[in-house]
């Protein structure tokens, strides 16, 4: 008879860090599997708003003689150039909020799924970061889906003038995706599930219309009171303005906010909203 292998109950099979990493990967894989299963719904949800924006502004309006930017094709093309970058930034912002805030509202409110997640063998903060990473991946996919639509849907004679600056675009995309999904984490943990619909009216809509989607930040200098460009200063509290201006710098030759403002502010916003989201997540879970 073979000798029994001695068993040491106090000896860990794997380190705590390895167990946390394995659990983090499993939770992330679960979210991506759900995304793959529901990709049709995800794609439709991602496409509908930017498609309608460019269809109405860049196809219908020029066709009926109400083109924005002037009745000449050069003015309409200039507006198309501004709008394409804005639509890509807006899509990332919307996707970041929808991919994180809305599922969290359900998991905290009705399904209580969040209780299963925090039982995984990893710190609660990593569960929150996993939500942000999954949301950021969805933001990246949204940008890839939306850009061709914004590029090709326009009336005859209307041509957005694009020039891709890869050195700006490559670092900008992950920063924008992480910042917007972190913002979704903040909203999903700070707003009660029963009030989540109010979020779109009082938070998302102002962010959208004052986020530089339809105009350049530099042009707001013309809106003055007593010689002060108040609107140009006011929109600086809107995180979307740095995303849309960043994509304007990365995808076009149109005037935009200086890059030495865009990147430091985006980095600071990433750190701030991610920290606020993790704090809110821990508070909701532990209470």
């Amino acid at each position: 008879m073979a000798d029994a292998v001695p068993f040491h109950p106090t000896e860990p099979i794997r380190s705590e860090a390895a167990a946390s990493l394995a659990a983090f990967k499993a939770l992330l894989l679960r979210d991506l599997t759900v995304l793959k299963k529901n990709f049709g719904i995800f794609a439709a949800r991602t496409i509908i708003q930017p498609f309608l924006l460019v269809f109405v502004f860049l196809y219908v309006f020029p066709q009926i003689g109400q083109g924005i930017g002037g009745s000449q094709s050069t003015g309409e093309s200039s507006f198309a150039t501004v709008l394409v970058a804005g639509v890509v930034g807006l899509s990332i912002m919307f996707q970041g909020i929808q991919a994180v805030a809305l599922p969290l509202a359900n998991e905290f409110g009705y399904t209580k799924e969040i209780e299963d997640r925090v039982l995984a063998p990893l710190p609660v903060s990593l569960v929150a970061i996993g939500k942000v990473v999954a949301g950021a991946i969805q933001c990246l996919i949204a940008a890839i889906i939306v850009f061709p639509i914004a590029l090709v849907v326009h009336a005859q004679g209307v041509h957005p003038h694009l020039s891709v600056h890869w050195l700006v675009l490559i670092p900008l995309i992950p920063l924008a995706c992480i910042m917007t999904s972190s913002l979704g984490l903040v909203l999903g943990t700070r707003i009660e599930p029963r009030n989540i619909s109010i979020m779109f009216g009082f938070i998302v809509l102002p962010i959208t219309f004052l986020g530089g989607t339809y105009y350049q930040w530099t042009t707001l200098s013309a809106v003055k009171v007593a010689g002060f460009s108040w609107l140009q200063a006011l929109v600086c509290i809107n995180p979307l303005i740095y995303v849309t201006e960043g994509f304007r710098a990365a995808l076009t030759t149109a005037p935009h906010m200086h890059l030495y403002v865009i990147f430091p502010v985006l980095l600071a916003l990433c750190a701030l909203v991610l920290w606020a989201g993790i704090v809110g997540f821990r508070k909701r879970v532990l209470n």
Side-chain angles (χ1 to χ4, degrees):
M1 180 177 179
D3 295 336
V5 177
F7 175 65
H8 304 287
T10 59
E11 182 178 342
I13 298 175
R14 57 182 176 180
S15 67
E16 184 177 341
S20 296
L21 180 60
F24 181 84
K25 289 180 178 177
L27 288 178
L28 184 59
L29 181 61
R30 179 193 178 283
D31 286 336
L32 295 181
T33 302
V34 172
L35 173 63
K36 181 181 178 183
K37 184 178 179 181
N38 300 314
F39 191 78
I41 298 174
F42 166 80
R45 184 185 72 193
T46 301
I47 290 170
I48 187 68
Q49 188 198 40
F51 174 77
L52 288 175
L53 275 177
V54 295
F55 177 72
V56 171
F57 284 119
L58 302 186
Y59 182 78
V60 176
F61 276 18
Q63 290 283 341
I64 62 177
Q66 296 182 5
I68 297 177
S71 57
Q72 301 298 319
S73 61
T74 53
E76 293 167 348
S77 295
S78 297
F79 176 69
T81 304
V82 170
L83 186 63
V84 166
V87 165
V88 174
L90 180 65
S91 301
I92 289 178
M93 174 64 77
F94 254 85
Q95 197 58 49
I97 294 175
Q98 285 186 328
V100 181
L102 296 185
L104 270 180
N106 287 329
E107 293 172 15
F108 278 123
Y110 304 111
T111 67
K112 304 295 184 186
E113 182 185 323
I114 204 68
E115 296 176 1
D116 296 332
R117 286 179 176 268
V118 297
L119 289 177
L122 74 167
V124 172
S125 299
L126 279 182
V127 178
I129 291 174
K131 284 284 186 185
V132 171
V133 173
I137 292 173
Q138 295 184 51
C139 291
L140 175 62
I141 297 172
I144 294 172
I145 293 175
V146 166
F147 182 67
I149 296 173
L151 183 63
V152 301
V153 178
H154 50 74
Q156 187 176 9
V158 178
H159 302 289
H161 303 298
L162 301 181
S163 177
V164 179
H165 304 97
W166 292 104
L167 292 179
V168 178
L169 183 64
I170 291 174
L172 176 68
I173 289 177
L175 275 177
C177 293
I178 293 172
M179 190 275 289
T180 55
S181 57
S182 298
L183 182 61
L185 182 66
V186 173
L187 297 175
T189 54
R190 302 302 174 102
I191 298 176
E192 291 294 329
R194 64 178 178 276
N195 296 327
I196 200 69
S197 59
I198 300 176
M199 174 184 74
F200 286 93
F202 289 94
I203 298 176
V204 176
L205 274 181
I207 285 177
T208 300
F209 283 96
L210 297 176
T213 303
Y214 312 100
Y215 46 80
Q216 297 151 269
W217 178 79
T218 52
T219 60
L220 294 180
S221 61
V223 183
K224 295 182 179 179
V225 171
F228 175 62
S229 301
W230 64 274
L231 187 57
Q232 191 178 40
L234 178 65
V235 299
C236 288
I237 64 174
N238 187 343
L240 180 59
I241 194 76
Y242 303 98
V243 178
T244 55
E245 285 292 297
F247 278 102
R248 209 152 277 141
L251 299 176
T252 75
T253 56
H256 52 78
M257 186 183 287
H258 289 295
L259 290 175
Y260 60 72
V261 173
I262 293 172
F263 279 105
V265 172
L266 278 178
L267 278 170
L269 284 173
C270 278
L272 179 64
V273 293
L274 181 59
W275 170 79
I278 291 174
V279 170
F281 186 83
R282 287 178 57 84
K283 186 177 179 182
R284 287 290 299 270
V285 169
L286 298 179
N287 285 343

